[in-house]
Amino acid sequence: MRRLTATAATLAALGLSVGPAASAVPSPAGLSTYATRPGSSPTHRAAVVPAKDVAVVVLDTLTPAVVGPGKDVTITGTVTAPLTGPLSGPEVRVVRGDVAVNQRSALDDWATGRTETSGRTVDTTSLATVAAGQTQPFTATVPWERLRSDDAFAALPISVEVVQEGASEPTGMTRTFIAWNGRKEYVPLKVATVLPVTLPPTVALAARDDAARLAAWEQAIGPDSRVDRILEGTRGTPVDLAVDPSVLGPDVGAGSGTTGPTPSGTSTPGGTTAPAPSGTSGAPAPSATGTPGTPAPGAGTSAPAPDGTTQTPPTPSATSTPPPAGTPSEATLAIARLGDDVVTQLSGRSVWALPYADADVAATVGVDPVNSLVRDLVSRASTLAGRLGQPARADIVWPVDGLLPAGREQGIKTLLSGTTVRKPAGIVVNAAAVTKESAYTPTARRVTASGTRLLAYNTRLSALLPKRTDPSPVLSVQRYLAETLVLLGERAGTPRSLLVTAPRTYDPDAADLATFLAATSSAPWLETVDAASLLTDNGNDKAVPQTRPTTAVASAAPKPVLNARRLARMADQRDTLLSVSSVLRDGEEFERTYREVLDGLASARWRWNPAGWVTLSNSVDADIKAATSAIRVVPRTSTINLLAENGTLRITVENGLDYTVEDIRLRLVPDNPRIRIVEQPDPVTIGPSSRTNVPVEVAAVAAGRAEIRAFLTTADGTQIGSPATIPVSANPLDAAIYWVGGILVGLVLLAGVIRAVVKGTSRVDEIADIEAVTAAHEALGDADDRDHV
């Protein structure tokens, strides 16, 4: 009895580990070849890497995928000779295994080579000698009669082997299965498939440099991107797509050649530029204002503005001149067009809406289920339907780790209660996480003890979705069909459903995915259904209560990067941005510019790049601090002397942003009662990169020093910007001085009156005719003058 050894290529395609018997055969990996199909993305094939001591057998096609009476099977593939020598007069044999494959353990044993028996040869094909390290194609045809089974349906184990001339043992082989369907003696399984459409954890998606940002978006959603391959591979199939709305990029509205604006009341990505993470290649350092491409406050020469403020012109950029406020850059428009292409590809599809930016719900509900930022992202899932112009369900929650630990269900309900979604219609979860181990596979329709519906996905089937690194989809298709036949055989007469999903990082080849879906959906015992239909019972296929798993279930994703501290800080940053945008004339643009990056930090995708999260978070911290400090009360270095009881202070307020600040309030609060604010100033408006003096009426109650805290607020009293402390020295003239002075003047007048009364009539008053005396005196004086001449 020969021991059959599966190649590592087979095991890799099946997602299984290589056992001791199979470890001698290396896996085809490494390079890729490209074959372009008309009207589609290139097909990527993992190049066949020759092994040292054994031949490598790769299957290209196996048709039909399901065999029945009158259907012969054609198998095509390649044989690659070992590096140590040629294959002399080789023969390709198709061997049908003589073991029954009716349990999952039997499937695993055959695929991994643990089953030592071989079986009988059902076809032989001779090849010419293959030189060392070279590849030769082959075609084998197996008559259906040699595959016939007495069972109504069965998974038939097949081995494709290459044998040297004159040898009895195979030099190389690969193992797979052929699906046999002789007659219908079963209730078909209902199968739903959901694939995520999300962004990669790439820091450069938020780069300030236009070229770097555009290149990152092209790799993320452009032609032949992972997103593009998923959309192309599922075209024309009943697969449901769970889409992150941020995948569509910025919606710059009408007049730009892109789709129109979303419904009012929702926020969408967009704007002229995005804040750059520090360390991003090609991105200039953030300015003092935090606004990409803007100068620091106070730069340039001041000039009067039309509104009376002091206008400071921007300093020319050393690299490029930023577009006017509200004008999307060329890179933004190009990214928007890429998003519009995705919108076109999604048109008419069955679509679910993930929370905006694919917010990490699993991490949030465990530490901060009332987080305002994540709640907002959940509400903004509705923007997907607005952008697509068609319905998109947003009430099906899909935690990235696929788990349902104690408290998560309630945490999800708490989170959603503060959103427009209100409550979950269902939760997507790993079936193993809600199932006690048993030989029987329950339906995908599940329900919690409190009545929340669960959509339980089958991990074995989900792992068989074809990947870009697979040499071909054949092994995945045949293993998938074999797995479903084993599941069907558990209880062939019982209606059940299956859910198949892919991880957030799923990366297929478009053609292979299309081949896989076409082959598996055509199997007679599988009925393709919409995943949302599993939220309700269907006849006898009723939801099964969840049970506690026997063993711990592994997470479908790495550990989260979000914790309570980070979530709280991000929520505070969001509130800060909203406060600043509320006082800006172009507040919506400002909010989009900065908030898009902040929203992205809440994404589950950073679980696969925690270092990138830190880089981007540090940049956001710096940009938000710079943006908020750009609106400030200018501090004074000298003390203001108040020399009267009442006076007017002039407080300078500066706007270092490239946006007009309007309806902002200056508020002053003295630190002691020596100074009293007579009336708080009226709202003020300040132009971009400008400053203005705000008059404030104050009263000095008593002499001494005081400090006045001056800060800015929005209309609702929310404090924003940078405050300042104004030192004041109050020296009012005491009122007693005026009283004493008045009394002294009165006393002097009174003394003169008394003196006149006490001394009586003067000698002048006793002369009877004062005028005659005066004239005689003047005449006498004239005579004396003549005598002296």
Side-chain angles (χ1 to χ4, degrees), residues 467-781:
K467 304 170 186 64
R468 202 181 187 201
T469 53
D470 295 343
S472 80
V474 172
L475 300 181
S476 296
V477 169
Q478 300 307 128
R479 178 64 183 269
Y480 183 97
L481 294 174
E483 290 275 359
T484 56
L485 284 170
V486 170
L487 290 176
L488 181 68
E490 292 174 350
R491 293 188 180 181
T494 301
R496 283 177 295 162
S497 54
L498 300 170
L499 178 62
V500 177
T501 65
R504 299 297 205 274
T505 55
Y506 181 54
D507 188 9
D509 172 77
D512 288 353
L513 179 57
T515 299
F516 177 92
L517 294 173
T520 56
S521 62
S522 63
W525 61 92
L526 300 178
E527 179 184 346
T528 303
V529 298
D530 181 80
S533 68
L534 305 181
L535 294 172
T536 56
D537 295 337
N538 183 0
N540 292 328
D541 187 5
K542 299 183 182 298
V544 176
Q546 74 170 100
T547 54
R548 185 182 299 276
T550 307
T551 57
V553 179
S555 168
K559 65 181 182 179
V561 298
L562 299 181
N563 53 37
R565 178 181 58 82
R566 287 176 170 178
L567 283 167
R569 183 179 64 184
M570 290 163 59
D572 290 341
Q573 290 172 331
R574 170 184 175 273
D575 293 341
T576 299
L577 286 177
L578 293 176
S579 297
V580 173
S581 63
S582 69
V583 299
L584 300 181
R585 183 168 295 169
D586 297 316
E588 291 183 2
E589 177 199 342
F590 174 87
E591 179 187 342
R592 285 194 301 266
T593 300
Y594 289 93
R595 186 174 171 185
E596 189 67 17
V597 186
L598 179 59
D599 291 343
L601 286 173
S603 177
R605 63 180 179 263
W606 298 109
R607 288 178 180 239
W608 285 271
N609 184 11
W613 187 95
V614 174
T615 298
L616 198 57
S617 176
N618 291 340
S619 175
V620 170
D621 282 343
D623 283 341
I624 290 179
K625 288 177 182 177
T628 54
S629 62
I631 306 174
R632 63 176 189 143
V633 178
V634 179
R636 289 184 64 93
T637 57
S638 59
T639 301
I640 298 176
N641 291 313
L642 186 62
L643 302 177
E645 284 187 341
N646 294 280
T648 300
L649 302 182
R650 293 194 174 274
I651 310 300
T652 302
V653 179
E654 184 177 66
N655 171 25
L657 298 176
D658 279 350
Y659 302 85
T660 297
V661 173
E662 57 186 6
D663 200 29
I664 195 170
R665 272 78 168 167
L666 173 65
R667 293 294 177 258
L668 294 96
V669 179
D671 67 343
N672 65 60
R674 292 189 183 95
I675 299 294
R676 179 173 60 86
I677 307 300
V678 176
E679 184 179 3
Q680 297 287 358
D682 294 332
V684 296
T685 296
I686 315 172
S689 301
S690 305
R691 57 172 58 188
T692 188
N693 292 324
V694 181
V696 182
E697 297 298 325
V698 299
V701 177
R705 294 182 60 85
E707 290 186 341
I708 301 177
R709 181 173 178 269
F711 57 93
L712 302 168
T713 72
T714 62
D716 63 2
T718 303
Q719 186 172 335
I720 64 171
S722 300
T725 299
I726 310 299
V728 178
S729 177
N731 297 289
L733 295 175
D734 198 327
I737 295 176
Y738 298 102
W739 285 103
V740 171
I743 292 172
L744 290 175
V745 172
L747 290 175
V748 170
L749 294 174
L750 180 61
V753 173
I754 294 174
R755 181 173 178 274
V757 172
V758 171
K759 291 184 177 182
T761 304
S762 68
R763 293 181 63 187
V764 174
D765 294 337
E766 294 176 355
I767 300 175
D769 189 353
I770 186 62
E771 294 179 359
V773 173
T774 300
H777 178 72
E778 291 177 352
L780 182 60

Side-chain angles (χ1 to χ4, degrees), residues 11 13-16 65-66 101-112 114 153-157 176-180 189 191 439-441 458-465 474-491 496 498 500 516 520 523 525-526:
L11 305 178
L14 298 177
L16 301 173
V66 179
V101 180
N102 52 16
Q103 293 182 342
R104 284 170 288 185
S105 58
L107 284 168
D108 295 341
D109 290 342
W110 178 262
T112 58
R114 290 195 296 266
F153 55 88
L156 307 178
T176 185
F177 304 89
I178 288 180
W180 170 263
L189 298 169
V191 181
Y440 168 67
T441 304
N458 187 291
T459 54
R460 288 175 68 92
L461 293 179
S462 298
L464 294 172
L465 288 167
V474 172
L475 300 181
S476 296
V477 169
Q478 300 307 128
R479 178 64 183 269
Y480 183 97
L481 294 174
E483 290 275 359
T484 56
L485 284 170
V486 170
L487 290 176
L488 181 68
E490 292 174 350
R491 293 188 180 181
R496 283 177 295 162
L498 300 170
V500 177
F516 177 92
T520 56
W525 61 92
L526 300 178

